[in-house]
Amino acid sequence: MSFFITGTGSAIPGLCVPNDALSGFLDTNDEWIRTRTGIRQRNILTSESLLDLAERSAIEALSLSKCSPLSIDMIICSTLHGDFFTPSMSCLLSKRLGINCRHMLDINMGCSGFIFALELAAAYFDSKRVKRVLIVCAEAMSRLVDWEDRSTCVLFGDGAGAVILEEGEGLIDLACSIDGEYENLNIPGIEGNSPFSQKRDTMPYLNMNGQEIYKFAVSAIINDITSMLEKNAIPPDDVAYYFLHQANIRIIESARHKLKQPEEKFPCNIESCGNTSSATIPILLDEVNRQGKIKKGDVLLLSAFGSGLTSAVALLRWN
Ligand code: UT7
C-alpha cells in the first residue's frame, strides 16, 4: 500500500527580481546569468514570512484534492531553515491550518528534500499509520546566501510547493542516496555567543564549489534515472514527464540529451523561479498539473540532487 498524489499547490513571494536588478549591486549581468544557468528572474521574500508561503501552498493543495485539513494524518515539511529554529515549520503550519494530527516533522535533506519526504511518507502508508499526508517544501534561500557573492546569490529564489498524498498504488519505486561529502556545498550553523566556545572563521551563508556540484549533479541524475528505469523495465520513452531539480538549465539539458528525450517531456521553470532548493520539484509539478497536462496513468520521473551530498529519484503513476 502506498500513495497517489491527489493535490498540488505552490506559492512564491510577491517581489520579482530580474537579473538586471542584481547588476545594480553585484559585478554580474543578465547575459552571464541567463547563458550559464537559464535563470532570468527569481522571487524574494520581503514582508511575508516563509510560513505564509508554506500555508498558501498547502491551502491550494488541500483545495485541489478536495480534502479537509481535519482529514490529514501527517505533515512533513522540508526546509533548510524555517522562520524559527524551533518550533518546527510543521508545528507552526498545523496551527495555521487547524490540523491536529499525531505525526508531524520537519526534514532537512537539501534540494533532494521532496523525494526524501515522499520516501518517509511511503513508510507511514505502508505501515498503515496514515491515510492522508501533506508534504510542504518551503525555502527562503534569500536568507541563506551571501548577497555579496555573485557566484551563488544569483542562482536562488524563494518559494513553497505542496502535495497531498492519499492511499493508492501510485508509487512505482523510489531510491535515495547520501554520501556525506559536505565540503563542496554547505551552510554553516550559527556560532552563538557562548563565552566557552572557540570561534570558527565561518559565516552562516551558503558555500558552494559550483563546478564540483555541476559534475556531481550530471552524473548522479543520469545514473539514478537510468538505473531506476532499468530496474523497473520502463523504457525512457514510456515516461510522460521528467521533473528534475531546477538548479541549472544546462544540467537538465545534459540529462535530456543523454536520455534522447524531447524538450516537452522536461518541464522547466528555472527561468522564472531560479533554484528554490527542495521546493523546485513540487512547485513545477503544481504548474504542470494546473495546466492539465498530466493524464491519469502517466508515468512521472522525479530526480533531485543537493547538499549531503544527496541524490534521489522516484517513479510515480498519476491518478
Ligand atoms: O541546488 C544546489 C546545487 N547547486 C548547483 O546545482 C550548482 C551547479 N553548478 C552550476 O550550476 C555552475 O557551476 C554555476 C552556474 C554555479 C557556475 O557556472 P560555470 O560555468 O561553472 O562558471 P564558473 O564557476 O567556471 O565561472 C566562470 C567565470 C568565473 O570568472 P573567471 O575566473 O573565468 O574570470 C567566475 O568568476 O564566471 C565568473 N562568475 C560570474 N560572472 C558574472 C561567477 N559568477 C558570476 C556571475 N556573474 N554571477
Side-chain angles (χ1 to χ4, degrees), residues 154-168:
V154 304
L155 307 173
F156 296 94
D158 302 333
V163 295
I164 302 293
L165 309 179
E166 297 186 65
E167 282 180 309

Side-chain angles (χ1 to χ4, degrees), residues 27-29 32-33 36-37 111 150-151 154-156 185 208 210-211 213-214 217 245 247-248 250-251 275 305-306:
D27 180 14
T28 189
N29 56 75
W32 191 96
I33 302 172
R36 301 275 177 145
T37 70
C111 302
R150 67 175 185 173
S151 70
V154 304
L155 307 173
F156 296 94
L185 183 55
M208 183 175 73
Q211 290 185 357
I213 298 301
Y214 192 103
H245 173 45
N248 188 320
R250 292 187 289 140
I251 296 175
N275 180 347
F305 63 91

Side-chain angles (χ1 to χ4, degrees), residues 59-136:
I59 288 172
E60 281 193 359
L62 284 163
S63 141
L64 212 58
S65 71
K66 298 190 176 62
C67 61
S68 146
L70 298 176
S71 68
I72 297 294
D73 302 311
M74 178 177 204
I75 303 175
I76 306 174
C77 287
S78 162
T79 187
L80 294 176
H81 193 349
D83 294 321
F84 294 86
F85 275 116
T86 189
S88 66
M89 181 181 280
S90 47
C91 288
L92 296 167
L93 190 60
S94 70
K95 176 89 173 160
R96 285 267 187 110
L97 296 170
I99 296 175
N100 185 16
C101 58
R102 281 174 45 211
H103 310 290
M104 55 180 85
L105 74 167
D106 285 11
I107 63 166
N108 175 348
M109 295 309 290
C111 302
S112 305
F114 180 56
I115 301 177
F116 276 80
L118 291 177
E119 192 200 31
L120 189 60
Y124 276 75
F125 277 107
D126 291 343
S127 63
K128 302 207 180 333
R129 279 184 285 174
V130 296
K131 289 187 187 323
R132 279 205 181 103
V133 175
L134 165 66
I135 296 178
V136 177

Side-chain angles (χ1 to χ4, degrees), residues 171-300:
L171 177 63
I172 302 169
D173 201 355
L174 191 150
C176 295
S177 66
I178 306 164
D179 77 0
E181 194 285 310
Y182 73 93
E183 286 184 349
N184 290 322
L185 183 55
N186 64 64
I187 305 173
I190 56 165
E191 288 196 12
N193 66 351
S194 161
F196 306 104
S197 78
Q198 284 192 342
K199 294 289 170 224
R200 291 171 290 154
D201 190 21
T202 55
M203 295 292 277
Y205 297 132
L206 184 138
N207 300 303
M208 183 175 73
N209 179 334
Q211 290 185 357
E212 287 304 314
I213 298 301
Y214 192 103
K215 282 187 253 166
F216 166 76
V218 169
S219 88
I221 288 177
I222 204 70
N223 288 341
D224 281 357
I225 295 180
T226 49
S227 37
M228 176 59 63
L229 292 176
E230 273 167 31
K231 180 176 164 215
N232 290 282
I234 296 178
D237 289 354
D238 288 5
V239 174
Y241 291 106
Y242 292 83
F243 287 92
L244 267 49
H245 173 45
Q246 305 285 295
N248 188 320
I249 193 70
R250 292 187 289 140
I251 296 175
I252 298 167
E253 280 295 283
S254 138
R256 184 174 78 74
H257 284 128
K258 291 214 171 80
L259 292 162
K260 300 190 174 61
Q261 294 297 299
E263 219 174 313
E264 57 273 17
K265 285 171 90 174
F266 281 67
C268 281
N269 64 4
I270 185 158
E271 188 178 73
S272 55
C273 294
N275 180 347
T276 55
S277 189
S278 71
T280 65
I281 294 179
I283 292 175
L284 186 60
L285 190 61
D286 182 50
E287 269 182 36
V288 179
N289 186 27
R290 278 168 201 275
Q291 289 161 3
K293 288 184 178 164
I294 316 177
K295 305 280 174 273
K296 187 176 164 75
D298 274 354
V299 173
L300 310 183

